[in-house]
């Protein structure tokens, strides 16, 4: 009898334990099956704070970093209408290319909206071992300036992928390129140079990498440290060019990839008085550190230019909000660049004017300043 009694007592306890474990396992399976990807997770904030969304810049601005790939055949009327709605006075098309494509772009601008667009030239640095180097690209620069070119754009391929005739990587500070930088200084045109990529692109693609999502979406953006020089090496090459050519003005694209380290960026600004910078595609770095970014913009207010990079009208709104307002905890427009929220810097009007257009007028030749006097 005693054994039977124990059995009847333990049996329901065992059943309960079994059911509890089963329930826990089922719940665990359901949880795992329903875990959403970080790309899908997009919670709506319950935070209630003052909001001042903007669709138009307070002052007219010059976008020094834009790409209009079909400008030779582009109907510019619709684009200008969008620029007007944003209060963009002038757009700099960095993708002017060279040869006939460059000529057609310049003709299109001259015939339709000569005061609203600036075109930069692009060179093929992989020709540096060919006969005619550097005479041909130097002539190209001289003729381009006569035709209306206002600067040289250098793409990130230099220092990453460009190779000479022996298959060797062309360093940003390769001495065979020195005549190019010197000629730009002689012609008094700036060099807008993009070197390297965000440091995170060299880091392991794991849960600690801030740009993990971008590397997942675009695997080709990963920079294998076993095949390429380090981030610091490529940046050092670029800085060596600035140091060697003090008479040439360089616009260091994307805050020189030091938007996440403004102390370092400030040190570079101090060392290279011929170096300017712009904020294209790195606004997310500024929007997460508004106090430090505001102090940086005030300290270097004569050397920072407005840039956007990829053109999409609605994305400018976030730029205006970060630069002009003191709003808190609002969304950036591209999760792979920022899974965090933005905060406004609330820059003073005097600094805004410099960032929006005054600095660009001092760096890029030939822009009509009366456009901004009328609109301001």
């Amino acid at each position: 009898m005693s054994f039977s009694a124990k059995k009847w007592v333990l049996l329901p306890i065992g059943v309960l334990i079994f059911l509890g474990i089963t329930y826990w396992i089922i719940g665990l399976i359901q949880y795992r099956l329903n875990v959403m990807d970080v790309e899908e997770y997009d919670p709506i904030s319950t935070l209630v704070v003052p909001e001042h969304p903007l669709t138009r810049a307070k002052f007219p601005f010059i976008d020094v970093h834009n790409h209009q790939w079909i400008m030779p055949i582009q109907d510019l009327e619709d684009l200008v209408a969008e620029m007007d709605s944003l209060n963009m006075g002038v757009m700099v098309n960095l993708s002017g290319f060279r040869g006939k494509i460059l000529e057609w772009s310049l003709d299109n601008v001259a015939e339709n909206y000569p005061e609203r667009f600036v075109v930069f030239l692009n060179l093929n640095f992989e020709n540096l071992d060919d006969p005619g180097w550097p005479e041909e690209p130097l002539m190209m620069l001289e003729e381009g300036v006569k035709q209306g070119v206002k600067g040289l754009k250098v793409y990130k391929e230099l220092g990453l992928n460009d190779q000479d005739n022996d298959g060797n990587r062309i360093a940003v500070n390769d001495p065979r390129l020195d005549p190019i930088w010197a000629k730009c200084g002689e012609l008094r045109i700036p060099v807008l140079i993009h070197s390297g990529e965000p440091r995170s692109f060299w880091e392991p693609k794991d849960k600690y990498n801030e740009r993990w999502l971008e590397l997942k979406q675009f695997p080709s953006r990963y920079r294998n440290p076993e095949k390429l020089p380090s981030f610091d090496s490529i940046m050092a090459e670029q800085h060596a060019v600035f140091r060697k050519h003090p008479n040439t003005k360089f616009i260091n694209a994307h805050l020189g990839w030091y938007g996440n380290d403004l102390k370092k960026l400030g040190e570079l600004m101090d060392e290279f008085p011929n170096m300017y910078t712009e904020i294209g595609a790195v606004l997310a770095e500024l929007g997460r550190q508004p106090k430090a970014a505001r102090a940086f913009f005030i300290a270097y207010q004569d050397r920072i230019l407005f840039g956007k990079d990829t053109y999409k009208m609605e994305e400018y709104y976030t730029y205006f909000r970060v630069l002009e307002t003191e709003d808190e905890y609002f969304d950036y427009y591209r999760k792979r660049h920022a899974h965090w929220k933005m905060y406004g810097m609330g820059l003073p009007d005097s600094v805004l004017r410099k960032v929006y257009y005054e600095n660009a007028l001092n760096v890029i030749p030939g822009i009509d300043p009366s456009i901004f006097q009328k609109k301001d």
Side-chain angles (χ1 to χ4, degrees):
M1 289 291 294
S2 60
F3 175 79
S4 178
K6 279 184 178 181
K7 183 175 67 172
W8 288 110
V9 170
L10 293 175
L11 182 61
I13 294 176
V15 171
L16 289 174
I17 292 174
F18 173 77
L19 292 175
I21 292 174
T22 302
Y23 179 80
W24 177 78
I25 292 174
I26 291 173
L28 184 63
I29 292 172
Q30 288 177 329
Y31 173 77
R32 289 187 179 277
L33 290 176
N34 285 282
V35 170
M36 67 181 72
D37 192 281
V38 67
E39 297 171 75
E40 300 172 324
Y41 185 57
D42 191 20
I44 298 174
S45 173
T46 60
L47 183 67
V48 179
V49 290
E51 297 182 358
H52 305 89
L54 300 174
T55 59
R56 181 177 175 83
K58 187 174 186 178
F59 303 110
F61 67 97
I62 300 172
D63 183 351
V64 305
H65 191 144
N66 211 289
H67 298 284
Q68 297 295 320
W69 306 101
I70 60 169
M71 184 166 272
I73 59 172
Q74 190 172 4
D75 183 349
L76 300 175
E77 185 174 356
D78 290 342
L79 180 57
V80 169
E82 292 187 352
M83 291 165 59
D84 288 340
S85 72
L86 294 168
N87 205 12
M88 186 192 305
V90 172
M91 174 187 288
V92 178
N93 179 20
L94 300 178
S95 305
F97 203 62
R98 53 191 171 270
K100 281 298 181 182
I101 293 177
L102 175 65
E103 289 181 28
W104 293 335
S105 290
L106 292 169
D107 288 344
N108 191 11
V109 168
E111 293 171 7
N112 293 286
Y113 295 96
E115 295 182 346
R116 303 300 298 277
F117 295 97
V118 165
V119 180
F120 276 33
L121 178 147
N122 315 128
L123 295 175
N124 182 1
F125 296 108
E126 290 191 306
N127 290 340
L128 84 177
D129 281 333
D130 295 349
W133 183 279
E135 291 77 19
E136 289 184 5
L138 294 180
M139 185 179 300
M140 198 178 298
L141 284 168
E142 292 178 348
E143 290 300 315
V145 169
K146 291 178 183 178
Q147 294 171 334
V149 164
K150 305 300 183 186
L152 172 67
K153 166 63 164 77
V154 179
Y155 288 96
K156 62 186 176 184
E157 280 70 26
L158 178 64
L160 286 174
N161 303 316
D162 282 354
Q163 298 180 349
D164 63 18
N165 287 354
D166 293 324
N168 299 314
R169 181 187 70 92
I170 303 175
V172 183
N173 63 334
D174 190 302
R176 291 170 289 184
L177 302 178
D178 283 337
I180 304 300
W181 316 132
K183 175 60 71 172
C184 290
E186 177 188 323
L187 295 172
R188 298 187 181 279
I189 58 172
V191 178
L192 194 148
I193 181 169
H194 172 171
S195 300
E197 294 277 48
R199 183 187 292 273
S200 297
F201 287 7
W202 274 262
E203 300 294 334
K205 295 180 285 185
D206 57 23
K207 64 182 180 180
Y208 303 109
N209 193 319
E210 276 191 330
R211 303 298 278 267
W212 174 87
L213 178 58
E214 184 166 3
L215 294 174
K216 175 180 180 291
Q217 294 177 341
F218 300 93
S220 63
R221 295 185 182 180
Y222 175 64
R223 304 303 173 189
N224 190 335
E226 296 181 0
K227 297 180 179 179
L228 286 172
S230 68
F231 171 86
D232 290 322
S233 295
I234 293 177
M235 293 300 104
E237 292 175 0
Q238 183 200 65
H239 304 156
V241 172
F242 300 163
R243 186 178 296 110
K244 192 172 184 179
H245 297 275
N247 296 324
T248 301
K249 292 181 178 179
F250 294 91
I251 304 172
N252 199 347
H254 310 298
L255 292 175
W257 299 123
Y258 283 106
N260 61 336
D261 188 352
L262 295 179
K263 181 177 182 295
K264 173 65 175 179
L265 182 56
E267 292 172 354
L268 295 173
M269 300 288 268
D270 293 338
E271 181 179 358
F272 307 121
N274 59 327
M275 185 189 97
Y276 299 77
T277 193
E278 54 87 20
I279 61 175
V282 288
L283 182 75
E285 300 290 6
L286 303 171
R288 63 173 170 173
Q289 51 173 337
K291 293 181 180 179
R294 188 179 195 274
F296 180 86
F297 269 64
I298 291 173
Y300 297 99
Q301 59 187 272
D302 297 322
R303 311 264 295 282
I304 305 170
L305 288 68
F306 183 96
K308 168 64 178 64
D309 203 351
T310 304
Y311 180 79
K312 188 173 183 180
M313 189 176 71
E314 295 80 7
E315 294 177 351
Y316 285 87
Y317 304 163
T318 307
Y319 278 73
F320 305 153
R321 196 173 180 186
V322 169
L323 294 173
E324 298 181 24
T325 79
E326 296 182 1
D327 283 0
E328 298 180 289
Y329 203 79
F330 55 93
D331 289 331
Y332 186 67
Y333 54 82
R334 189 172 293 130
K335 185 179 286 189
R336 65 174 176 266
H337 284 179
H339 50 82
W340 51 81
K341 300 292 184 177
M342 298 290 99
Y343 296 81
M345 294 191 286
L347 293 175
D349 285 356
S350 60
V351 177
L352 276 174
R353 286 190 179 92
K354 290 181 178 181
V355 173
Y356 274 150
Y357 68 90
E358 289 179 358
N359 293 339
L361 290 175
N362 291 330
V363 176
I364 301 174
I367 300 178
D368 184 0
S370 66
I371 299 174
F372 304 92
Q373 295 165 358
K374 294 173 185 176
K375 292 187 175 186
D376 195 340

